[in-house]
């Protein structure tokens, strides 16, 4: 638990912060020792908890430099409470940060679905300070039940994806069909990014950070006149006309949700790309690879985006390379944040969470002139050419639904065997021959065999999360029943979709646990 208390005086304030845990606790005789360098409560070589023994020493030095006190109250086997007391002068001249200003979002109305302890209270506290009307529901079904008597709309609906009374995908589908919510922006609160495969307009990682939530509200206010359906149509239309198959992009981003979000967009626009999870890896990639554009998250482990950008500029000088555009990715939207990014030799600034069109615009605005000209020429050629890819544009943008994969991965834990790896290998072996059967059946216009093999491939692909492949197979089934010539176009599209799906499955197979089959 984290608690704080502020006592204001005329020219100063007393701040006390208490951090309480329910861990192993610390013996009374050893409590003074743990504030000394390289000392731990358990110093044996077989201790269960690691660390250098410097964290509390550094904390104590920082607090004392601020003329404060740090103390400990602990009971062995029960837990500990660390307390920090600071006496701070009031800063009269400092302009409050945007997120510190009260009533800055007067008129907005939102709802939160979450049964997590503390989250509703904290969330309502933010809303109350900013002037946002907020209603909290502990269950999704309770929220849906309230819609019948709802006499006002919501500007946004925040959903904790850990809800248990209804499947998130089902909830999202129900919300999209509800006319009362057609102007409501959907925001998900995610604590397991790798397990989430929804399609909200915005997504936030838990715990909720004040500045990030303020940025979300700012975006909601700017787009309040757009309905949810209109926004999704506009995004999809933009993606259909934005193709950059001639460029190479490096994304440095440690958040898995943000990686997946960008990956879908990169795949759709057809560019080549690499994704790394810290600045050090970004520099290593850049030393040996030419990129047309870099997207750089500012806050990352190992090496942050600021230091990585400076290092990339050093590499360019050392290798006599032309400067590549570096677009900063940050949750901070203030002018001074943009100025900071530019001072670290970055080229542009994109505020997270960003929309699909915003990312595409950033690509277009920061590409070298020759690359942008090539992309425009390619797009013009595509527009003039026969619509051979119309089928593909109707497909889902989701190549792989990780929720299906995670469901199978659970069997690994229950059985102690690599069930997932076994299923993927079997699918890869069988799907190759099944795809060949589909192609042969179409060429011979053997409609019954085409329907049968497409159905077989659809079932296996859907079970492994192959959304786009399963959709194509369903369309081929329908075309086979109607003896439609469109089946040729669909089968050609299936080959491309299978290549992408198989590539993703092979990555998962390689990373699967080393367990017996």
């Amino acid at each position: 638990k984290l608690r704080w208390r502020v006592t204001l005086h005329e020219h100063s304030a007393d701040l006390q912060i208490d951090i309480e845990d329910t861990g192993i606790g610390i013996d009374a005789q050893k409590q003074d020792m743990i504030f000394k360098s390289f000392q731990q409560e358990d110093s044996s070589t077989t201790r269960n908890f690691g660390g250098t023994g410097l964290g509390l020493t550094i904390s104590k030095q920082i607090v004392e430099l601020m003329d404060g006190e740090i103390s400990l109250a602990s009971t062995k086997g029960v837990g500990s409470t660390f307390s920090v007391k600071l006496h701070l002068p009031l800063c009269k001249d400092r302009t409050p940060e945007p997120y510190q200003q009260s009533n800055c979002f007067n008129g907005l109305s939102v709802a939160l679905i979450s049964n997590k302890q503390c989250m509703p209270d904290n969330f309502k506290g933010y809303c109350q300070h900013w002037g946002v009307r907020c209603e909290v529901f502990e269950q999704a079904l309770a929220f849906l039940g309230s819609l019948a008597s709802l006499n006002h709309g919501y500007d946004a609906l925040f959903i904790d994806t850990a809800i248990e009374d209804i499947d998130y995908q089902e909830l999202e589908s129900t919300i999209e069909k509800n006319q009362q919510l057609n102007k409501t922006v959907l925001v998900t609160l995610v604590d397991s990014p790798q397990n989430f495969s929804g399609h909200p307009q915005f997504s936030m990682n838990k715990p909720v950070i004040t500045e990030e939530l303020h940025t979300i509200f700012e975006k909601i206010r700017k787009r309040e006149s757009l309905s949810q359906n209109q926004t999704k149509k506009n995004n999809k239309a933009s993606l259909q006309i934005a193709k950059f198959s001639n460029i190479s992009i490096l994304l440095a981003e440690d958040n898995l949700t943000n990686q997946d979000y960008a990956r879908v967009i990169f795949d759709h626009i057809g560019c080549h790309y690499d994704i790394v999870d810290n600045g050090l890896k970004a520099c290593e990639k850049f030393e040996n690879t030419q990129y047309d554009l870099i997207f750089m998250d500012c806050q990352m482990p190992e090496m942050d985006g600021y230091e990585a950008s400076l290092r990339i500029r050093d590499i360019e000088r050392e290798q006599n390379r032309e400067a590549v555009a570096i677009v900063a990715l940050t949750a901070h939207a203030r002018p001074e944040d943009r100025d900071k990014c530019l001072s670290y030799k970055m080229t542009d600034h994109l505020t997270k969470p960003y929309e699909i069109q915003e990312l595409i615009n950033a690509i277009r605005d920061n590409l070298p002139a020759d690359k942008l000209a090539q992309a425009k020429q390619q797009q013009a050629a595509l527009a003039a050419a026969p619509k051979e890819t119309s089928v593909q544009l109707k497909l889902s943008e989701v190549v792989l639904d990780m929720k299906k994969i995670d469901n199978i991965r659970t069997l690994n834990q229950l059985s102690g065997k690599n069930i997932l790896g076994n299923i993927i290998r079997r699918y890869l072996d069988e799907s190759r021959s099944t795809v060949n059967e589909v192609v042969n059946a179409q060429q011979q216009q053997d409609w019954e065999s085409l329907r049968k093999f497409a159905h077989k491939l659809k079932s296996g692909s859907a079970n492994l999360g192959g959304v786009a492949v399963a959709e194509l197979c369903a369309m081929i089934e329908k075309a086979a029943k109607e003896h439609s010539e469109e089946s040729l176009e669909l089968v050609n599209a299936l080959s491309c979709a299978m290549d992408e799906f198989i590539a993703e499955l092979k990555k998962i197979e390689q990373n699967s646990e080393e367990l017996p089959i």
Side-chain angles (χ1 to χ4, degrees), residues 83 139 202 217 235 269 295 320 357 373:
S83 299
Q139 293 185 328
F202 295 119
F217 276 125
N235 283 343
I269 67 177
F295 286 96
N320 196 26
Q357 188 60 56

Side-chain angles (χ1 to χ4, degrees), residues 42 147 175 242 266 282 319 392 404 412 420 514:
D42 178 6
L147 296 178
I175 290 170
F266 292 158
Q319 298 184 359
Q392 296 181 44
K404 296 286 189 182
N412 287 7
L420 175 60
E514 294 297 328

Side-chain angles (χ1 to χ4, degrees), residues 382-396:
L382 284 173
K387 304 300 181 181
E388 296 180 357
T389 58
S390 59
V391 172
Q392 296 181 44
L393 295 179
K394 298 175 185 176
L395 296 175
S396 169

